[in-house]
DNA sequence: CTAGAGATAGAACGATCGATCTACCCGTTT
DNA sequence: AAACGGGTAGATCGATCGTTCTATCTCTAG
């Protein structure tokens, strides 16, 4: 009947790992994860095969959620591609302002996992490509002369916001980036509006 | 007489730690550091008090060297502040292109060291302030209307280059950032030249 | 009722962590 | 010659690492 009262061990583990790997980094110990999730040791290895598998699944889920959040933010911004792109930076401003913000978890994972063969790297790479496409699609709709290049620049601004937001929070990096994003979106020429 | 043939244990440790903490992250084991430096275990604790002390000293040295490198690059670029600022991004292009580039070691250290009281954080924070001043001074010389804010933006672009360079190396982030840097330097208006 | 799947608790594995310690070697300085 | 400081080598400490294991419990399906 599956009439469980709450989320099962798998979900509890994923949620605890999502939280702890962000706050403490992917170097968190297995014991801390098990304790936070209130889950038996064995369950971790049954469901994910090991710590690396759990980390990979956490990143997979998180990228899917973040991509969907980007889409939602752009959807809420209306039809104008310019407004939709700028809305991304408005959302970033709120993310960075958040009291629990500790930088980009994907960049942190990439920097922390020295082994280039770790499954986490493939996941973060795919995520960046998906976001790049998301941005590029809007730029194409804007008839931007160099949509791919402009998407690279916007992604660079996003990375800059997340990095500066973690290291120099008082400088309001999202606001700074938004100004530059306008310049990128307008293709170096003044806005049409 | 101090007629030693090569660098002593202290220097060897610092050099090995500089290399290994960059390639492997600050999570490298003490044993790996000692083996790479070919130094006795005791020497580490005599000179630096422990692993954290060694890491802090590595960062201290590295920030001093990097700041000096920024100054040198700007010095070589002549007297025009605009050219001096853009030279920074040309230098970044070469850094990112380097085969051993693995991202910004200071951001990596900040993200990896969850404890906000770790001495490394104070060192990286001071470094960013020094670089900010370096950039701001040039913008003041340019009579930029908002030198502090523009320096924030340039620093955001630098962070973006180092992040994107580590995660999307094929996109030539330094070139993308240089274009935006020109826009920042020119204060939103076209270049005077 | 019973067999089996899923979860829990916890011992235990070998490996590694950072740190402390003893013992010895060597060059310098009294 | 003797004392000493800096360096090396290596054992050892308790703690923690990720992983595997046995044993028990609790459901649910047949």
């Amino acid at each position: 009947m599956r009439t469980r009262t709450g989320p099962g061990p798998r979900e509890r583990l994923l949620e605890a790992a999502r939280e702890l790997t962000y706050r403490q980094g992917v170097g968190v110990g297995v014991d801390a994860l098990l304790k936070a999730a209130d889950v038996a040791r064995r369950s971790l290895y049954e469901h994910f095969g090991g710590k690396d598998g759990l980390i990979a699944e956490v990143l997979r889920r998180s990228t899917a959620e973040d991509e969907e959040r980007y889409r939602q933010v752009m959807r809420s911004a209306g039809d104008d591609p310019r407004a939709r792109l700028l809305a991304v930076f408005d959302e970033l401003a709120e993310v960075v302002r958040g009291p629990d913000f500790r930088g980009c978890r994907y960049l942190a994972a990439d920097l922390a996992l020295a082994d280039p063969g770790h499954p986490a790297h493939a996941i973060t790479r795919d995520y960046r490509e998906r976001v790049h496409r998301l941005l590029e699609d809007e730029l194409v709709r804007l008839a931007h002369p160099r949509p791919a290049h402009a998407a690279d620049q916007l992604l660079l601004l996003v990375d800059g916001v997340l990095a500066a937001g973690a290291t120099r929070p008082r400088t309001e990096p999202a606001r700074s980036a938004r100004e530059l994003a306008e310049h990128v979106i307008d293709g170096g020429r003044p806005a049409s509006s």
Side-chain angles (χ1 to χ4, degrees), chain A residues 3-23:
Chain A
T3 48
R4 306 279 302 127
T5 49
R10 188 171 208 273
E11 288 302 318
R12 296 206 304 277
L13 254 178
L14 284 170
E15 172 56 24
R18 193 185 64 86
E19 168 77 6
L20 277 186
T21 58
Y22 185 55
R23 288 223 319 255

Side-chain angles (χ1 to χ4, degrees), chain A residues 115-135:
Chain A
D115 174 17
H118 195 288
H121 297 304
I123 296 170
T124 60
R125 174 166 29 85
D126 287 354
Y127 170 65
R128 294 190 183 96
E129 287 181 12
R130 297 203 302 274
V131 176
H132 187 277
R133 264 194 296 274
L134 216 59
L135 302 174

Side-chain angles (χ1 to χ4, degrees), chain A residues 166-177:
Chain A
T167 58
R168 313 185 76 237
R170 302 169 48 194
T171 63
E172 297 198 79
R175 182 179 296 269
S176 289

Side-chain angles (χ1 to χ4, degrees), chain A residues 6 12 17 29 57 62 68-69 81 92 104 116-117 119 132 145 148 152 162 169 172 176 178-179 187:
Chain A
R12 296 206 304 277
E57 187 56 29
S62 189
E68 183 49 42
R69 195 153 52 91
L92 272 182
C104 174
H132 187 277
D152 282 341
L162 295 175
E172 297 198 79
S176 289
R178 201 198 131 111
E179 295 176 18

